Amino acid sequence: GAGVSQSPRYKVAKRGQDVALRCDPISGHVSLFWYQQALGQGPEFLTYFQNEAQLDKSGLPSDRFFAERPEGSVSTLKIQRTQQEDSAVYLCASSYTEGRAEAFFGQGTRLTVV
Amino acid sequence: QKEVEQDPGPLSVPEGAIVSLNCTYSNSAFQYFMWYRQYSRKGPELLMYTYSSGNKEDGRFTAQVDKSSKYISLFIRDSQPSDSATYLCAMSDFSGNTGKLIFGQGTTLQVKP
């Protein structure tokens, strides 16, 4: 597709359940980012991939959060044992070079933990 | 104190008005500055991208960066109801080859017909 695609668009999880969020970046884009956006706030950085290498995971809030991009294209963000504070919109973005370039965002996955 | 400060608004203007949106920041290493527009329940859409200080114009939009004051602005001329959205400033120093963006909180803009 022409843009960054994320699935599912909406996810409701019971507290304690594991979830997996998928991101299909723009074809050929080297860099991939995950951000978390709480209601009424700007996105906050979670992690960054350059191809298949996870170069920065400093924003992951706990060891319950795990991200991978095994073949340098599609990425998955996994949250284990979800908590209510994990409720947010999870945004994926990609850019065509290693840093120093505009990042294009997907529509996000809205996660609600009940 | 947050690295990037942005007044959340809301800001309400009549159609045709000139809109000024602003952000201040504290990290002098930031060199790349962006403005994103985000409609309700949508992802952020890149509007403007500026490197270092100066002005950049694209249609009705003008982005200004004043690194000496650590202050960036987005001006929207002849505002339209379709401009009603949340506007996010974002910036980066691209150090460590990470490219992560630091966002402001976002300003909600409403343009009334």
Side-chain angles (χ1 to χ4, degrees), chain B residues 37-80:
Chain B
R37 178 174 62 195
Q38 187 172 29
Y39 292 113
S40 181
R41 298 187 177 271
K42 299 290 187 182
E45 171 195 9
L46 182 65
L47 282 177
M48 301 288 283
Y49 174 86
T50 310
Y51 170 70
S52 195
S53 285
N55 294 358
K56 185 173 184 179
E57 187 173 322
D58 184 1
R60 296 185 295 112
F61 299 91
T62 299
Q64 288 185 350
V65 175
D66 182 349
K67 290 187 68 180
S68 62
S69 301
K70 297 190 182 68
Y71 187 87
I72 69 170
S73 300
L74 177 71
F75 297 95
I76 308 174
R77 291 182 299 279
D78 187 25
S79 56
Q80 303 295 310

Side-chain angles (χ1 to χ4, degrees), chain A residues 1-54:
Chain A
V4 178
S5 178
Q6 291 188 246
S7 61
R9 287 292 316 278
Y10 302 93
K11 176 69 179 178
V12 178
K14 291 184 178 180
R15 191 169 51 185
Q17 186 179 356
D18 296 350
V19 298
L21 313 179
R22 177 187 170 103
C23 173
D24 279 274
I26 295 171
S27 178
H29 277 199
V30 168
S31 297
L32 185 145
F33 307 82
W34 284 98
Y35 289 84
Q36 180 190 61
Q37 186 174 23
L39 188 65
Q41 301 297 316
E44 292 199 358
F45 172 81
L46 293 177
T47 188
Y48 164 67
F49 289 87
Q50 183 178 328
N51 295 306
E52 68 277 6
Q54 188 175 19

Side-chain angles (χ1 to χ4, degrees), chain B residues 7 9 15 24 37 59 65 70 77 93-94 99 101 103:
Chain B
D7 186 339
E15 183 176 355
T24 59
R37 178 174 62 195
V65 175
K70 297 190 182 68
R77 291 182 299 279
D93 60 5
F94 283 99
L101 299 177
F103 282 86

